Amino acid sequence: MPAIKRILIIGASGFIGRRLTKKLAEAGHGVVVAKRRGSVTSEVAGENLKIVILPDDTYDGLPGAISGTAIDMIVNCAAYGVHPHDRDPNQMYIVNVALPVALVELAARKQAGLIHLGSSAEYAAGGLESPVSEDATVEAYKFYGGRKYCGGALMNLKARAIDVPSAVLRLFNVFGPGEGDHRLLPTLTGKLHRRERAALSAGNQIRDFIYVDDVVAAIVAAMNALHDGLLSGGEFFNVSTGIGTPVRQFVMLAASAMKADPGLLGFGDVPVRPDEVPLLVGNNQRFAAATGWEPKFSLSAGIQAAISEAEMDKA
């Protein structure tokens, strides 16, 4: 089949969307970004990147904004509720449920494939095995995870019904340059740079941390496999390392990479949330078998790369 010529990225102002846009444009891919006024997209500009402004600052205006633009692949990175303060029920539904479902019709009109970024929060907390497979029980009660699941599931159902190639990638604990300030690594490094005590939980929670560039590579692998017909379409895939790491170990690796005083690590200063999941690790074998992708960054290498890039950006 002909190569993918132009990729539409939704949610290019977010952590992963910005990174994906930058990497694809720098690699010479044609990238189209639909953005609201005032939102940040990428540090990259030039002939490989086309920016279209949503006329009414809502996704309802997206089809009209790109009506004359050929698109081969759509990647939906948009999400609402990642920040713990974002809990508006209308926005949660519009972005996490209505948008991915609406993108199926846009993909059909453009004869494009469709990839939607899901979340490990879609898995129910109780009784999880480790590592968790794509067939595990999904979240039905938590506000964010439940709606992320609904959006991806309804998208895939509709895509299968009208023969749109689609896939949902459930991302686990992604970290790296450009994360929101509320997340673990930037909060920790900010405190340690200022030589302030970092208030932390005991850090016994076990998570599947994956570096953002491995996630970008996974998205590219999924695009290629979907485009080439190697995926049957309408499937769910975990994008994870398959390795469980205590949060405490992640924090200590980051502090060591910064050569920070370990006495500033306030383990136990913050109580564990009542709804905290103690163990969440993803089985990535289904995705690896379908695409040939595998993570390249070890945890320590990813942490070092993230800290080094952040320091370069500040210089």
Side-chain angles (χ1 to χ4, degrees):
M1 295 179 66
I4 301 172
K5 294 180 180 179
R6 186 160 287 181
I7 304 152
L8 171 64
I9 299 178
I10 315 297
S13 62
F15 166 39
I16 295 169
R18 285 200 309 273
R19 193 74 170 182
L20 177 64
T21 299
K22 183 175 185 291
K23 295 289 186 181
L24 289 175
E26 287 178 344
H29 296 283
V31 180
V32 179
V33 167
K35 59 170 286 190
R36 297 183 176 97
R37 293 175 181 84
S39 63
V40 178
T41 52
S42 173
E43 299 85 352
V44 176
E47 61 182 12
N48 293 329
L49 181 63
K50 177 180 179 180
I51 297 176
V52 296
I53 305 298
L54 296 174
D56 54 1
D57 272 356
T58 72
Y59 294 113
D60 293 340
L62 177 59
I66 62 166
S67 60
T69 303
I71 300 294
D72 301 299
M73 188 68 58
I74 300 172
V75 181
N76 181 31
C77 304
Y80 178 87
V82 177
H83 195 289
H85 293 157
D86 292 338
R87 287 298 179 269
D88 180 270
N90 290 328
Q91 285 300 308
M92 190 77 75
Y93 172 78
I94 289 168
V95 178
N96 295 341
V97 182
L99 174 61
V101 174
L103 288 176
V104 177
E105 292 182 8
L106 180 60
R109 288 198 293 272
K110 295 292 184 180
Q111 296 184 316
L114 175 59
I115 291 173
H116 170 69
L117 301 190
S119 169
S120 60
E122 295 175 39
Y123 293 112
L128 285 178
E129 296 182 355
S130 180
V132 63
S133 73
E134 291 86 348
D135 300 321
T137 303
V138 294
E139 182 58 67
Y141 297 102
K142 289 185 180 178
F143 206 37
Y144 176 70
R147 281 154 182 78
K148 284 293 290 183
Y149 167 71
C150 287
L154 290 171
M155 184 202 84
N156 269 346
L157 284 169
K158 186 173 181 178
R160 284 197 295 267
I162 61 174
D163 294 325
V164 169
S166 72
V168 173
L169 306 185
R170 288 176 176 156
L171 311 183
F172 278 64
N173 289 73
V174 188
F175 72 95
E179 284 185 85
D181 291 341
H182 67 285
R183 292 171 63 87
L184 174 60
L185 186 59
T187 299
L188 174 67
T189 55
K191 290 284 188 181
L192 296 181
H193 270 302
R194 296 189 297 272
R195 295 180 174 83
E196 297 174 359
R197 183 176 176 87
L200 302 159
S201 72
N204 297 323
Q205 313 95 309
I206 296 176
R207 295 290 181 266
D208 192 325
F209 295 100
I210 182 167
Y211 186 59
V212 65
D213 285 354
D214 278 333
V215 170
V216 168
I219 296 169
V220 173
M223 287 194 300
N224 290 333
L226 202 63
H227 181 265
D228 294 341
L230 300 178
L231 302 183
S232 60
E235 296 181 90
F236 299 88
F237 296 100
N238 290 336
V239 175
S240 61
T241 67
I243 300 171
T245 302
V247 170
R248 186 185 189 96
Q249 182 180 341
F250 181 94
V251 167
M252 293 179 69
L253 284 170
S256 176
M258 295 178 66
K259 298 180 172 58
D261 178 5
L264 295 174
L265 303 178
F267 290 114
D269 288 358
V270 177
V272 176
R273 295 197 317 267
D275 63 346
E276 186 79 74
V277 179
L279 171 65
L280 187 55
V281 179
N283 184 331
N284 63 21
Q285 293 306 301
R286 180 182 294 181
F287 186 65
T291 65
W293 170 90
E294 60 181 22
K296 302 297 184 186
F297 284 81
S298 66
L299 182 58
S300 59
I303 289 172
Q304 184 62 66
I307 291 172
S308 298
E309 186 168 329
E311 290 175 348
M312 288 176 60
D313 291 341
K314 291 178 181 177

